[in-house]
Amino acid sequence: MRRLTITTLALALLAAPVAVEAQQRQQPAAQRAPAQAAQGQDHPLVGRYEGSQQRFRQVRDYEETRFPTAAVRNRQGGQPRLDAGNSVAVAGKLTRLVYTGPADRSPLEVVRNLQERLERLGFGVVFTCRMAECGGSGSDLWFAVVNEPPIKQTIMPSNWEGGVYALLRWERAEGDVWVSLYGVPNAPGGGPATLVDVLETKGMERDKVVVVSADEMARAIAASGKVALYGILFDTDRADPRPDSRPAIEEIAKYLRANPQVAVIVVGHTDSQGGFDYNVDLSRRRAAAVVAILTREFGIPAARLTAFGAGMAAPVASNDTAEGKAQNRRVEIVKR
């Protein structure tokens, strides 16, 4: 096997990964990795395989995605899906990189070199597979891994029959790090294409949502017939509102009590991540859960409330950015 090329920073990380990583982040990028500066910075924990070329790099400070933890075999609407049964949902800083080459190397050799490098740093292997072991002929995992994360790119060739995948996790007190490695053959120019996703978990900034008051709801509904609420929060793939959604639901109840003649539609909305039919059903169940709380705990007559799920069909912003997705994940109160 050809050895894995790693920068001076990566060598230092072998001895003291946490402390050195923090120290190096304070240095200019040119000092950390001058050899790769023209192509884009490698992730310091992963490095790159000797002779490979970086073709894509994008970083988002906070994102949520799923990584496969088992073979991907289930389909919905003709497309493979990642869900709680075959993957793990994680959120934090996401770095997505794509490398191609070298021309005389296999995807297996490149991915295994990167995997061994990470294991030496303290990462543990969560899941690994090759070709049909990954689901179907390997195509199901290809679609899930390449298309599921919120950062899109078009460089990875669809040559899944020779694909190899590995998911690793490093458990740290300051936040876990997940690394997803996926290699396929026959990249442009020859050799493998390697997709590297690094997610450094961290807590999302809290207390950023302002609860819309009953009076503000009344003004918005009078002006436009609806109001968008961002204070009703849900965990990933769950329909029941989180406990911190209570203040927003209380304001809906106040508005309805102050306007007893009004009937409303409670509409659930999602971003574009996941299957269309799945998101429509999830948004409907979320809207129904809000209706159930309003009737059961606040005494609002069920005849005044209609639950509806719009899924991803009515975005108010682009789903290509984390900020846009956050705007699209909402509950709306629409005057009926």
Side-chain angles (χ1 to χ4, degrees), residues 194-320:
T194 308
L195 177 65
V196 179
D197 286 322
V198 183
L199 194 141
E200 301 163 70
T201 63
K202 63 176 183 179
M204 182 175 62
E205 290 187 61
R206 301 285 180 181
D207 301 322
K208 296 295 183 180
V209 176
V210 177
V211 174
V212 178
S213 70
D215 290 341
E216 290 169 327
M217 284 185 207
R219 287 193 292 270
I221 291 173
S224 64
K226 66 179 182 179
V227 61
L229 307 177
Y230 293 93
I232 302 178
L233 307 172
F234 303 87
D235 290 328
T236 303
D237 290 337
R238 306 301 288 270
D240 293 328
R242 292 192 339 215
D244 49 348
S245 303
R246 183 81 178 187
I249 297 175
E250 287 177 350
E251 292 302 318
I252 300 173
K254 289 179 185 178
Y255 164 74
L256 292 171
R257 287 171 177 165
N259 299 273
Q261 78 287 357
V262 173
V264 300
I265 306 168
V266 180
V267 186
H269 295 268
T270 69
D271 60 29
S272 63
Q273 198 165 341
F276 180 85
D277 291 340
Y278 176 82
N279 278 325
V280 168
D281 179 65
L282 178 62
S283 61
R284 180 196 59 78
R285 289 187 287 120
R286 287 177 171 177
V290 174
V291 167
I293 293 172
L294 288 169
T295 56
R296 183 180 64 246
E297 300 183 27
F298 294 94
I300 305 300
R304 297 177 59 194
L305 303 167
T306 301
F308 182 77
M312 63 178 75
V316 293
S318 169
N319 277 302
D320 294 332

Side-chain angles (χ1 to χ4, degrees), residues 151-162:
I151 298 176
K152 307 300 181 188
Q153 51 75 42
T154 58
I155 296 170
M156 289 294 289
S158 55
N159 300 309
W160 48 73
E161 291 187 359

Side-chain angles (χ1 to χ4, degrees), residues 160-175:
W160 48 73
E161 291 187 359
V164 56
Y165 176 78
L167 176 66
L168 300 98
R169 179 187 186 186
W170 182 15
E171 298 184 54
R172 306 186 305 175
E174 63 270 40

Side-chain angles (χ1 to χ4, degrees), residues 4-260:
L4 175 68
T5 298
I6 51 180
T7 61
T8 302
L9 166 60
L11 286 169
L13 280 166
L14 287 170
V18 176
V20 175
E21 180 187 359
Q23 180 182 5
Q24 291 289 340
R25 279 199 299 265
Q26 299 172 2
Q27 298 181 3
Q31 294 181 25
R32 294 201 301 268
Q36 280 81 24
Q39 292 186 42
Q41 180 69 36
D42 297 329
H43 194 284
L45 291 176
V46 183
R48 76 170 69 185
Y49 189 90
E50 181 182 69
S52 63
Q53 302 294 312
Q54 187 183 115
R55 303 298 185 184
F56 179 90
R57 181 181 187 273
Q58 191 170 350
V59 181
R60 295 226 180 125
D61 188 60
Y62 190 87
E63 272 292 1
E64 182 177 75
T65 190
R66 282 191 171 276
F67 292 130
T69 56
V72 180
R73 303 185 190 280
N74 59 319
R75 285 177 172 265
Q76 182 170 333
Q79 292 295 325
R81 275 198 65 248
L82 294 180
D83 56 27
N86 61 17
S87 61
V88 60
V90 286
K93 180 180 179 181
L94 177 62
T95 302
R96 169 160 270 209
L97 306 128
V98 178
Y99 297 89
T100 59
D104 59 343
R105 299 292 141 173
S106 69
L108 178 65
E109 183 171 351
V110 173
V111 169
R112 290 290 183 261
N113 265 264
L114 294 168
Q115 177 181 329
E116 290 175 3
R117 148 78 180 160
L118 293 168
E119 289 185 72
R120 290 197 298 272
L121 285 177
F123 282 79
V125 176
V126 176
F127 174 60
T128 184
C129 64
R130 293 187 64 195
M131 296 179 285
E133 299 171 352
C134 300
S137 64
S139 60
D140 287 359
L141 184 130
W142 186 94
F143 280 105
V145 170
V146 174
N147 294 327
E148 176 74 16
I151 298 176
K152 307 300 181 188
Q153 51 75 42
T154 58
I155 296 170
M156 289 294 289
S158 55
N159 300 309
W160 48 73
E161 291 187 359
V164 56
Y165 176 78
L167 176 66
L168 300 98
R169 179 187 186 186
W170 182 15
E171 298 184 54
R172 306 186 305 175
E174 63 270 40
D176 295 352
V177 181
W178 295 78
V179 177
S180 170
L181 306 170
Y182 185 54
V184 297
N186 303 324
T194 308
L195 177 65
V196 179
D197 286 322
V198 183
L199 194 141
E200 301 163 70
T201 63
K202 63 176 183 179
M204 182 175 62
E205 290 187 61
R206 301 285 180 181
D207 301 322
K208 296 295 183 180
V209 176
V210 177
V211 174
V212 178
S213 70
D215 290 341
E216 290 169 327
M217 284 185 207
R219 287 193 292 270
I221 291 173
S224 64
K226 66 179 182 179
V227 61
L229 307 177
Y230 293 93
I232 302 178
L233 307 172
F234 303 87
D235 290 328
T236 303
D237 290 337
R238 306 301 288 270
D240 293 328
R242 292 192 339 215
D244 49 348
S245 303
R246 183 81 178 187
I249 297 175
E250 287 177 350
E251 292 302 318
I252 300 173
K254 289 179 185 178
Y255 164 74
L256 292 171
R257 287 171 177 165
N259 299 273

